[in-house]
Amino acid sequence: MAEPGRVPGRTQGHRQGYAGTWPPREAARAGGIAPSGFTAWPSLLAKLREWVRAEAGAGRLLPWVPVAFGAGIAFYFAADHEPATSVTAVAAIGFCAAAFLLRRQKVFPIAVMIAAMAAGFAVATSKTARVAHGVLARPMYSVSLSGFVETRDIRERTDRFVLRVAQMESPRGQTKLERVRLSVRKGAAPAVGSFVELKARLQPPLAPLRPGSYDFGRDMYFAGIGASGFVTGVIKAVEQPPDSGGLVLRYAAFMQGLRDAIDARIRMTLDADQRAIATALLTGRRDAITTPVNDAMFISGLGHVLSISGYHMAVVAGVVFFAVRALLALIPALTVSFPIKKWSAAAAFAAAAFYLLLSGAEVATQRSFFMTAVVLIAVMVDRRAVTFRTLAVAAMIVLTIAPEALVHPSFQMSFAATLGLVALVQIGMPRLFASPDDSTTARVALWGGREIMTLALASLVAGLATTPYAAFHFHRVTPYGVVANLAAMPVVSAVVMPAGLLGLLAMPFGLDGVFWRIMGAGIDWMIVVTQWVAAFPGAIGRMAAFGIGPPKGVDRPWSPAVPGDSEAESNIARPVDATPAEADQQAEE
């Protein structure tokens, strides 16, 4: 008679009770959570553990600190309402102290990451509290304003300037604003540093036109601007203002005068798009470029040339560094007895700082300067310059000074491209060119093949790294960007930018005309390349807009718009055939 719980005719090895499981426990232990037959799973897990231990090792933790710091800033901008500044500061200090106390424990890397996230959250919160100012909530008409002109932009259709408000009179109430950005007919913008009186119509900062799109209000808030609008009457200049405006305003007026002088000298030699692009590369003004050329630049993938960023800083610093070092090398006594490499790095640092001030010191340009400065300082202190640590230090400096840059496309695209290039220099290039001197690679390198390969790889890596961000923010991709960069960037690097720098140096002596002509010839080549590539089939790679999540209501300092206020939206043009990014830009203008 069979025993209870056994099946007759089965051997002992296959005995199963009525409450047994399938498959047998032994089979479950052998396969784990991997699919049946997936024998590479243990080796993959072992490899992942090895990578994690390597990244947590000595000297490998620093590059991850700005990642965690940025994650904390991202959590801040994702909050539904403004956090308490004191609570976030105390929490950040507590987590940092805990990480310090755990520095000899195995959990130290995790503690550092948590502390960095808390610090990023606290820094973003404190920055918002530090720049707090009034923001207009409803449109206002016939507002009397008086104050100092801080900045001025000469645009294609209209001019625009930022007014630091000294006095504000409105029939609607006691609203007080610190700064407003006003549009005026072309050629009527007052000079920077002047004290003016005017009447204007003001509107609240423009809210995103769709969930997840560009937030004009947030950027205006961190720039200290509480409203935008346009002048409705005559602008009256006051000869004797109530005060001088301060040292910062006098400096802004001096730099604006210098930019105007450079533009006037370029205008004497170049015209049309040549002059507009030359002025954009040297002073940061890029609003006078004609629409066809501007569109072709972005379609071909060369739009980054028009925005002063890391590339321009690297070219300026590199040209000055190698020129100064070559001149000093002509004197044998200096070469033998003095560190001319460090002297050259110091000269390049000074040139980059001057370029930062000349171009207007926008957030993107500041970020580029910090990255370049970290590299040059590394050269001056005998440290390796192009490393992941250098990039991490630059990222920490930028995010600490301007945490709002994290959500801006220029920050994301710039650091993504730089990260890809650093990885190429440190990892890809040594493996690619590690070969005997008598190899085919060495013979090709003698004919410039290595330089062409390096430029092609750099363009490809930078393009691939920035493609996801361009698709998200601008809803377009540049399928032929590598072709355009290979054809145009050598000329920009070797002709256009060096000629521009030499033109700036020759201006005080009146010998700058020849350098502007050389610069114009290089710009002509760049325009030809952009129009040629933009005419390729499929060059206009439009992407459907996609967001990061469903819309939600938020209560933040830069979101003061009143629901249902159609008055504020009545003047917004939304072209039907434009992408969301283009509609945003036209509405902002």
Side-chain angles (χ1 to χ4, degrees):
M1 183 174 179
E3 297 179 7
R6 294 188 181 180
V7 179
R10 296 297 182 101
T11 61
Q12 185 70 21
H14 292 83
R15 292 172 182 170
Q16 295 287 340
Y18 292 113
T21 59
W22 190 92
R25 297 179 184 274
E26 291 77 11
R29 283 196 299 268
I33 61 175
S36 177
F38 191 73
T39 58
W41 188 259
S43 60
L44 178 60
L45 288 178
K47 194 66 176 178
L48 290 175
R49 294 191 187 98
E50 179 183 350
W51 287 347
V52 171
R53 286 194 297 268
E55 293 300 328
R60 301 293 295 272
L61 193 60
L62 178 61
W64 289 101
V65 172
V67 176
F69 192 85
I73 297 175
F75 281 128
Y76 164 78
F77 283 107
D80 292 336
H81 57 84
E82 195 65 19
T85 305
S86 58
V87 175
T88 59
V90 172
I93 295 173
F95 281 117
C96 291
F100 177 78
L101 296 175
L102 296 174
R103 63 188 182 280
R104 301 187 184 277
Q105 305 298 324
K106 292 183 178 181
V107 296
F108 175 68
I110 299 177
V112 169
M113 296 298 103
I114 296 175
M117 291 180 62
F121 194 93
V123 167
T125 305
S126 62
K127 175 64 180 292
T128 303
R130 190 167 63 253
V131 301
H133 57 84
V135 177
L136 191 65
R138 293 181 180 273
M140 301 178 67
Y141 307 92
S142 188
V143 182
S144 299
L145 299 172
S146 62
F148 289 97
V149 178
E150 290 191 337
T151 63
R152 183 185 65 183
D153 295 329
I154 300 176
R155 308 174 69 82
E156 184 180 1
R157 296 187 294 269
T158 60
D159 292 347
R160 195 169 65 181
F161 63 95
V162 173
L163 183 73
R164 186 206 297 174
V165 179
Q167 187 175 2
M168 177 176 178
E169 297 179 1
S170 170
R172 178 169 283 193
Q174 301 297 324
T175 303
K176 298 297 180 183
L177 302 175
E178 294 183 7
R179 289 178 178 84
V180 295
R181 188 171 64 190
L182 302 172
S183 296
V184 68
R185 68 178 185 275
K186 190 170 180 62
V192 175
S194 60
F195 189 90
V196 297
E197 295 178 349
L198 51 87
K199 287 185 177 294
R201 176 178 179 178
L202 301 180
Q203 295 179 354
L206 186 64
L209 300 184
R210 61 174 180 81
S213 67
Y214 182 75
D215 193 341
F216 297 100
R218 182 186 59 215
D219 282 4
M220 289 177 63
Y221 179 83
F222 283 101
I225 300 173
S228 61
F230 54 89
V231 178
T232 57
V234 178
I235 301 176
K236 179 182 177 181
V238 178
E239 297 296 335
Q240 296 182 349
D243 57 78
S244 62
L247 180 62
V248 175
L249 189 64
R250 290 197 295 270
Y251 156 77
F254 171 78
M255 295 305 300
Q256 187 65 42
L258 182 59
R259 297 186 197 103
D260 292 341
I262 294 173
D263 182 61
R265 296 292 299 181
I266 295 176
R267 192 187 298 270
M268 295 176 63
T269 306
L270 306 178
D271 57 5
D273 287 313
Q274 280 187 341
R275 179 195 66 82
I277 294 178
T279 301
L281 294 176
L282 295 179
T283 66
R285 292 180 179 174
R286 54 182 184 274
D287 303 305
I289 303 173
T290 60
T291 300
V293 173
N294 190 67
D295 292 343
M297 293 285 289
F298 284 95
I299 292 172
S300 63
L302 288 175
H304 63 90
V305 177
L306 301 178
S307 176
I308 296 179
S309 57
Y311 166 76
H312 302 78
M313 279 290 175
V315 171
V316 170
V319 168
V320 173
F321 176 83
F322 289 109
V324 172
R325 191 174 184 184
L327 292 175
L328 294 178
L330 297 176
I331 306 175
L334 294 178
T335 306
V336 175
S337 305
F338 298 95
I340 61 173
K341 182 179 180 180
K342 297 182 180 180
W343 291 2
S344 304
F349 182 87
F354 174 74
Y355 190 42
L356 169 71
L357 301 178
L358 179 64
S359 60
E362 296 181 354
V363 175
T365 313
Q366 293 178 28
R367 180 183 61 255
S368 305
F369 171 75
F370 291 140
M371 295 174 62
T372 305
V374 170
V375 172
L376 295 174
I377 292 174
V379 173
M380 287 188 279
V381 297
D382 295 323
R383 301 296 297 269
R384 188 176 178 182
V386 183
T387 64
F388 291 109
R389 287 187 177 186
T390 303
L391 185 63
V393 172
M396 284 298 299
I397 294 175
V398 172
L399 291 177
T400 301
I401 296 176
E404 69 275 9
L406 179 78
V407 294
H408 202 276
S410 64
F411 174 90
Q412 299 169 9
M413 297 178 71
S414 177
F415 273 94
T418 307
L419 180 62
L421 294 175
V422 171
L424 178 65
V425 171
Q426 283 201 290
I427 301 174
M429 302 300 290
R431 295 181 180 179
L432 181 63
F433 297 124
S435 57
D437 292 339
D438 58 350
S439 65
T440 304
T441 303
R443 291 194 295 271
V444 172
L446 294 177
W447 295 92
R450 180 174 298 181
E451 286 72 18
I452 296 175
M453 178 71 72
T454 301
L455 183 59
L457 285 175
S459 299
L460 179 62
V461 169
L464 291 177
T466 56
T467 293
Y469 303 98
F472 177 80
H473 291 288
F474 308 115
H475 322 303
R476 62 175 56 181
V477 294
T478 54
Y480 304 113
V482 175
V483 177
N485 280 274
L486 283 175
M489 295 313 293
V491 176
V492 176
S493 302
V495 178
V496 175
M497 291 301 295
L501 293 178
L502 292 175
L504 292 178
L505 294 176
M507 271 187 59
F509 307 99
L511 304 174
D512 52 315
V514 62
F515 298 110
W516 303 137
R517 295 187 184 92
I518 296 174
M519 192 178 186
I523 292 174
D524 280 340
W525 170 256
M526 184 174 66
I527 294 175
V528 169
V529 169
T530 59
Q531 294 175 338
W532 172 59
V533 174
F536 285 0
I540 305 177
R542 294 191 181 275
M543 293 284 295
F546 57 97
I548 58 176
K552 62 178 181 178
V554 295
D555 181 18
R556 307 305 294 272
W558 55 83
S559 304
V562 178
D565 189 358
S566 59
E567 247 183 334
E569 300 179 356
S570 60
N571 297 305
I572 299 174
R574 291 180 174 87
V576 177
D577 58 345
T579 65
E582 292 168 343
D584 289 355
Q585 181 64 25
Q586 294 186 22
E588 188 267 345
E589 291 179 352

